[in-house]
Amino acid sequence: MAKIREKLYVTVPSLFRCPISMDVMRSPVSLCTGVTYDRASIQRWLDSGHDTCPATMQVLPSKDFIPNLTLHRLIHLWLLSSEPPSPEPSPDNLRSLLRQIQNADDDLAVTLSKIAEFATISVENRQKLAAFPGFDSSVVRTLAGCSSRIDASENAICLLDSVLRENGNPEKIRRLILDAREQCFGSMVFILRNGSVKSKIETVRVLEFLASDFKSSKLIAETQGLLPLVAGFLKDGGEELSNAVLSLLGVVSVTHSAKVELVNCGVVEFVSKLLRTCSSATTAERCLRVLAVVATCAEGRAAIAAEPSCAAAVVERVTKAAKAAAEDAVAVLWSLCCLSGNVKVRDDVAKRNGVAVILLVMQRGWEEHVRSMCVDLIKVLKGACENNGLGLKLGSYDTKTTHIKPC
């Protein structure tokens, strides 16, 4: 019997234990002292008024902490290898878990964690949740009511993102969230400020899902502090988060005030740098979409023109982009060179063989308004070439555009 007990006993690596609770960390985060704790434990410690690191008793110059993603992955792999798979909840168990959510008891974070774990196992599980009566309203209600509980908020947004991807009842979920938008958006902003990268990505995806029409997009854009917050992720948020943010900004920037707010918080600089340096075609195309949106206002055009190499980066990408993104690139160049008549940008585009690039783009077959923009661009760029003594270098392009007769 003793030997059997020894085999069943699992030694937890000390590195995986929270120095406060001594339990295996669910969400490891590191203080500025370099010591890692479970998020819930250190948050309670700091919220109770302490200003020291519990392990070292050093006074903290900053109470901020960052997710320890490497340790989180190691703990997750260890749990998978050391714990037997838990049985899937039965319908009765799911109902019981939903009742616990609805009652908002003290174990709310634990309950949501159990359901979120169930959802991550398989597509079939997510489909079960999506179809389960009362699931969507329970999770939305939870999100609306836990704007100061990061673990509960993150699990709620994870579940919402899972349900939306499995097409549970999207219109109902959209209506539920928008009906409680002040509380729900408050929780989402809380996650964007304090959550893990994964939960930030999920939140941005949920926000994009909500932006189904002009009114919804306007409500999201008008949420105080939201646009500068998400735009800031473009600076150093990582590729997946940046892609999610770019996609969101491309659909929520529907009003003049939203576009101006983006310009004021530096989005043109961030997007321009991404466009110049990214290797992903998807990222580049989403950058072009955001620039095309911003270029529809005078403030946006001025910011793009003032950003070094932005127009050149657009010229570089236009022939490599998919058709929709190429149209965005043409719109940006037309806005700068024709609508604004910015001489500096026009000359820069002309020097980069802009006429040949636009002629090449015109071969793709366009709607009349895009062809019209292309013809306008060729006119002003040819004029710039003539004024600056530049020859038209068409030899390197097999344009086959004998039918094009720009004036």
Side-chain angles (χ1 to χ4, degrees):
M1 180 65 76
K3 289 183 179 180
I4 294 175
R5 284 177 181 159
E6 286 175 7
K7 288 180 180 179
L8 293 176
Y9 181 75
V10 178
T11 302
V12 179
S14 59
L15 183 65
F16 295 171
R17 292 184 184 275
C18 173
I20 297 175
S21 68
M22 297 309 295
D23 292 330
V24 176
M25 290 182 279
R26 290 178 175 273
S27 179
V29 295
S30 299
L31 291 177
C32 58
T33 58
V35 182
T36 299
Y37 302 90
D38 186 69
R39 184 193 294 271
S41 297
I42 193 61
Q43 189 68 65
R44 282 194 296 269
W45 170 268
L46 297 174
D47 289 346
S48 63
H50 294 94
D51 61 354
T52 56
C53 172
T56 66
M57 296 311 295
Q58 290 177 257
V59 176
L60 297 171
S62 168
K63 293 185 178 181
D64 294 336
F65 45 73
I66 59 174
N68 190 327
L69 300 179
T70 300
L71 186 56
H72 188 277
R73 284 193 290 269
L74 290 174
I75 292 173
H76 178 68
L77 291 173
W78 176 79
L79 288 172
L80 289 177
S81 64
S82 62
E83 293 184 358
S86 55
E88 292 188 2
S90 66
D92 287 341
N93 287 339
L94 282 176
R95 290 189 188 93
S96 174
L97 290 172
L98 288 179
R99 279 197 296 271
Q100 292 176 44
I101 293 176
Q102 292 165 348
N103 294 334
D105 59 20
D106 293 336
D107 293 328
L108 177 62
V110 175
T111 303
L112 284 168
S113 179
K114 289 179 181 178
I115 301 178
E117 183 178 356
F118 173 72
T120 59
I121 292 173
S122 66
V123 172
E124 291 75 16
N125 284 2
R126 291 192 288 275
Q127 290 172 341
K128 287 179 184 178
L129 287 173
F132 202 86
F135 170 76
D136 43 16
S137 56
S138 294
V139 177
V140 171
R141 193 179 305 114
T142 300
L143 180 67
C146 60
S147 60
S148 61
R149 303 177 63 176
I150 189 63
D151 287 348
S153 298
E154 286 185 321
N155 282 319
I157 207 71
C158 172
L159 287 168
L160 277 176
D161 183 52
S162 297
V163 172
L164 298 179
R165 284 189 284 114
E166 300 307 329
N167 297 316
N169 192 343
E171 289 307 317
K172 180 185 177 184
I173 295 173
R174 182 180 286 115
R175 186 178 68 253
L176 288 168
I177 295 176
L178 292 177
D179 285 347
R181 61 181 176 273
E182 185 174 343
Q183 295 82 7
C184 286
F185 285 0
S187 294
M188 292 185 199
V189 170
F190 179 67
I191 295 170
L192 291 170
R193 286 178 176 154
N194 303 287
S196 65
V197 173
K198 174 178 175 291
S199 64
K200 289 175 182 177
I201 293 169
E202 291 164 344
T203 302
V204 172
R205 285 201 299 242
V206 170
L207 286 168
E208 183 179 358
F209 159 80
L210 295 174
S212 60
D213 53 37
F214 178 85
K215 181 180 178 181
S216 301
S217 297
K218 187 171 180 288
L219 289 173
I220 293 170
E222 290 176 347
T223 301
Q224 187 172 6
L226 178 63
L227 287 183
L229 182 59
V230 296
F233 296 143
L234 296 176
K235 187 175 182 180
D236 51 14
E239 184 176 351
E240 189 176 1
L241 179 55
S242 294
N243 270 331
V245 169
L246 289 167
S247 187
L248 172 66
L249 295 182
V251 298
V252 300
S253 308
V254 294
T255 64
H256 180 265
S257 59
K259 295 166 189 174
V260 172
E261 187 173 14
L262 285 178
V263 170
N264 291 338
C265 67
V267 77
V268 171
E269 177 188 353
F270 302 151
V271 172
S272 178
K273 182 178 179 181
L274 275 174
L275 186 63
R276 293 195 306 270
T277 61
C278 70
S279 57
S280 164
T282 298
T283 303
E285 289 167 7
R286 290 180 179 178
C287 286
L288 292 172
R289 173 90 288 260
V290 173
L291 289 175
V293 169
V294 172
T296 59
C297 71
E299 294 85 351
R301 292 190 290 274
I304 296 172
E307 185 61 32
S309 303
C310 185
V314 175
V315 175
E316 175 68 22
R317 296 282 183 175
V318 64
T319 57
K320 303 173 185 177
K323 190 172 181 180
E327 180 176 339
D328 287 331
V330 169
V332 172
L333 295 175
W334 180 85
S335 297
L336 297 173
C337 298
C338 303
L339 183 59
S340 293
N342 189 291
V343 176
K344 180 179 179 300
V345 173
R346 183 200 65 189
D347 290 347
D348 192 26
V349 173
K351 290 175 184 177
R352 294 179 182 276
N353 214 12
V355 174
V357 169
I358 298 302
L359 284 171
L360 183 61
V361 169
M362 286 185 74
Q363 295 184 79
R364 303 180 71 166
W366 297 101
E367 300 293 332
E368 183 58 35
H369 71 284
V370 183
R371 287 183 56 80
S372 179
M373 286 192 291
C374 288
V375 171
D376 289 345
L377 277 168
I378 290 171
K379 289 179 183 178
V380 299
L381 294 176
K382 282 182 65 179
C385 289
E386 293 168 358
N387 293 337
N388 290 282
L390 299 172
L392 296 181
K393 302 175 183 178
L394 302 178
S396 60
Y397 294 92
D398 182 17
T399 61
K400 300 178 182 177
T401 50
T402 54
H403 61 288
I404 299 173
K405 297 179 180 179
C407 300

